[in-house]
Amino acid sequence: MPDVIILLFNRDLRVTDHPALQQACQDARQVVPLFVIDPAIPPRGRAGFLIECLDDLRASLRERGADLVVRRGNVVAETMRIAAETGATAIYTSGDVSALARKREGRFRRENIEFRTFPGITIVPPAQLKPVTGDHYKVFTPYFRAWSEIRWRSIAETPDTIAMPEVRPGDIPRPRRRPHLPGGEREVRRRLDLWLRHCLRDYAAGHDDLAGDHTSRLSPYLRFGCVSPLELATRSGASEEFVRQLCWRDFYAQVALAFPGLPREDYRPGRREWRHDKEAEDAWREGMTGVPIVDAGMRQLAAEGWMHNRARMIVASFLTKTLGIDWRVGADHFEELLLDADVPNNYGNWQWVAGTGNDTRPNRVLNPVRQAKRFDKDGEYIRRYVPELANIPTTMLHEPWRAPSPILGYTAPIWRG
Ligand code: FAD
């Protein structure tokens, strides 16, 4: 039995259903729970949320007799330094899919230490399902079918106690700004219980209702791994519609693993030419396009660091299909502001909407007027986020050409009919 194993946290900031942590506790006499803040990867709008997640994780580890060791610097170099200091002979971590994460895993494998990755970031590990031809599923429906038919791993046990060698814990930095949402595993467990008890039953019928806000809003917690997606799927198993959404997350993870260029290159190349229009881009970012449903979505993003999925689809379709602006412009803005932004989901969904990704109908355009009439029938969502339209009658709210619009002259005729 090795004396010491390092458990390297990344975006799995929890102690429940954490296979790498469970295995480290079984395999070694002592475990060093470690998180390295890499200054080369700015957490953008997510810094405050991340810090609260780390505070909460430290508290959970302290309850179990250990601590969270925090260092700042290059992840591989700092981890190897801790290994030298504690005599650790192995590093365990949750396997991840982005190009950056894989490069880091490659570097660890070249070090003179045992390095093992474990499941936990997704429900089904991204390399586990393969189609008959090709190295990954390019289309969601057959993936969902295969995903629904296999057996999932069992939930990992949460360790009661964790023995740890003497190591200086290190400070967690203080946030400059409070996050839009409180971070951490304890917070998400409270939210999860409420969601399962009171809201899940409305999900299938209501998840597209913009004003109703019937989705779980758990995405930032899934992004940082404060909750295990497997636990979430297992506990909400009665709602196929909800579990299906979680499957989308697994789907994009296996796309990102197979196609590391996802954040920058067209997944299906040669589909489109993009326009440069600084004025239109700025109007879109600021929620000042004059198209009420688009502006409402963009302002929700700025105000909350989160946007309803239906609104994300509408604003992304508007930018790429209606304005003809490159999906990278939109995805990078989302990446900057969303609490839940991660490479597979953000760039995978953007490419899907732009028609360069996994959509089997790449030319579909979401007409924002029809979308608003259907998913914000009474204009409540628009009024909530665009206060200057609060007193406009609903019929007028849905008609963009009657509202003031800096870029209206360009956009209105496209869907007027
Ligand atoms: P719920 O409806 O409660 O769904 C539960 C969980 O399922 C979500 O938390 C999420 O983890 C997963 N999920 C739901 N829909 C999708 C989907 N289409 N793709 C992948 N996973 C999904 N989601 C992110 O987590 N990060 C992103 O950066 C992101 N960027 C997006 C960009 C665009 C242009 C679009 C159209 C969608 C994007 N999504 C992203 C997917 C989706 O909008 C969010 O996951 C969802 O709105 C989060 O809210 P929720 O937790 O209430 O979702």
Side-chain angles (χ1 to χ4, degrees):
M1 182 185 249
D3 273 345
V4 183
I5 288 177
I6 294 175
L7 187 283
L8 180 62
F9 284 102
N10 182 17
R11 56 192 204 93
D12 47 358
L13 304 178
R14 63 175 184 270
V15 293
T16 49
D17 187 38
H18 195 302
L21 177 64
Q22 182 201 16
Q23 198 62 46
C25 292
Q26 264 176 29
D27 288 356
R29 274 185 249 281
Q30 293 182 313
V31 174
V32 186
L34 172 67
F35 186 85
V36 182
I37 299 168
D38 187 343
I41 311 165
R44 303 180 194 268
R46 294 175 285 284
F49 191 83
L50 167 65
I51 286 167
E52 292 196 358
C53 296
L54 294 176
D55 281 338
D56 182 74
L57 181 61
R58 172 168 272 177
S60 297
L61 291 164
R62 284 183 176 167
E63 275 171 14
R64 289 166 173 78
D67 206 331
L68 181 66
V69 175
V70 177
R71 292 293 183 270
R72 199 180 154 81
N74 176 278
V75 177
V76 179
E78 290 303 319
T79 308
M80 292 310 294
R81 215 190 302 276
I82 296 283
E85 202 181 309
T86 59
T89 50
I91 299 162
Y92 287 8
T93 196
S94 305
D96 201 357
V97 294
S98 72
L100 191 87
R102 310 228 18 247
K103 208 152 88 205
R104 186 187 291 158
E105 286 176 12
R107 291 209 187 106
F108 273 120
R109 289 187 203 287
R110 288 195 291 278
E111 295 288 339
N112 189 19
I113 193 163
E114 185 189 350
F115 179 76
R116 287 180 63 186
T117 56
F118 292 82
I121 303 265
T122 52
I123 296 168
V124 171
Q128 188 174 332
L129 284 176
K130 295 268 193 277
V132 180
T133 54
D135 61 349
H136 71 291
Y137 283 88
K138 297 189 164 91
V139 176
F140 177 74
T141 309
Y143 178 76
F144 181 54
R145 217 176 295 127
W147 185 91
S148 307
E149 279 165 10
I150 58 161
R151 254 177 96 91
W152 298 338
R153 68 170 171 85
S154 43
I155 300 271
E157 272 172 41
T158 310
D160 292 330
T161 57
I162 301 170
M164 183 180 158
E166 275 288 308
V167 194
R168 178 179 64 82
D171 293 330
I172 298 173
R174 292 297 95 216
R176 258 178 287 159
R177 267 194 281 153
R178 282 193 71 77
H180 293 291
L181 278 179
E185 183 175 13
R186 269 175 266 222
E187 177 64 25
V188 72
R189 299 204 77 75
R190 196 181 62 77
R191 286 170 184 253
L192 179 57
D193 289 344
L194 288 173
W195 157 257
L196 292 172
R197 210 168 325 132
H198 302 297
C199 309
L200 182 62
R201 60 176 169 264
D202 296 331
Y203 187 81
H207 70 98
D208 265 329
D209 171 6
L210 282 160
D213 210 358
H214 292 301
T215 68
S216 70
R217 288 199 180 222
L218 291 173
S219 52
Y221 300 94
L222 283 160
R223 155 71 179 79
F224 285 94
C226 308
V227 60
S228 141
L230 175 66
E231 183 191 343
L232 188 52
T234 311
R235 290 179 63 187
S236 52
S239 167
E240 186 183 321
E241 192 54 41
F242 184 69
V243 174
R244 190 180 162 87
Q245 302 310 310
L246 293 171
C247 180
W248 272 105
R249 192 175 168 275
D250 278 17
F251 173 75
Y252 284 124
Q254 54 99 50
V255 169
L257 182 70
F259 185 65
L262 188 68
R264 298 266 61 93
E265 297 161 35
D266 286 357
Y267 177 79
R268 293 178 201 274
R271 292 260 165 130
R272 309 212 174 261
E273 297 225 342
W274 306 109
R275 278 185 340 113
H276 291 282
D277 183 339
K278 174 94 177 51
E279 196 194 350
E281 278 176 27
D282 288 346
W284 179 83
R285 277 196 202 93
E286 288 157 21
M288 292 294 286
T289 64
V291 182
I293 194 73
V294 172
D295 292 348
M298 295 308 291
R299 293 194 203 180
Q300 180 178 30
L301 173 64
E304 298 176 10
W306 185 88
M307 196 196 299
H308 192 286
N309 178 61
R310 177 55 54 179
R312 294 188 203 202
M313 289 167 67
I314 297 169
V315 303
S317 171
F318 182 77
L319 185 79
T320 55
K321 299 276 180 61
T322 306
L323 296 177
I325 291 171
D326 196 324
W327 58 267
R328 281 157 277 243
V329 171
D332 288 349
H333 182 67
F334 270 34
E335 160 67 25
E336 189 83 32
L337 296 189
L338 275 177
L339 278 179
D340 63 30
D342 63 12
V343 167
N345 290 335
N346 189 32
Y347 294 95
N349 272 291
W350 267 96
Q351 293 225 38
W352 190 92
V353 177
T356 58
N358 301 89
D359 190 1
T360 48
R361 287 168 53 205
N363 295 322
R364 83 173 96 195
V365 181
L366 298 185
N367 174 327
V369 176
R370 262 187 248 136
Q371 292 282 313
K373 284 182 177 162
R374 193 160 160 211
F375 300 112
D376 188 30
K377 208 161 29 76
D378 302 323
E380 208 183 312
Y381 177 76
I382 293 174
R383 290 197 188 87
R384 193 179 301 158
Y385 293 104
V386 190
E388 64 267 35
L389 300 180
N391 298 320
I392 307 242
T394 305
T395 43
M396 285 178 75
L397 260 191
H398 290 140
E399 308 285 329
W401 49 90
R402 295 190 204 162
S405 167
I407 54 168
L408 183 65
Y410 173 71
T411 59
I414 293 179
W415 65 78
R416 190 190 281 270

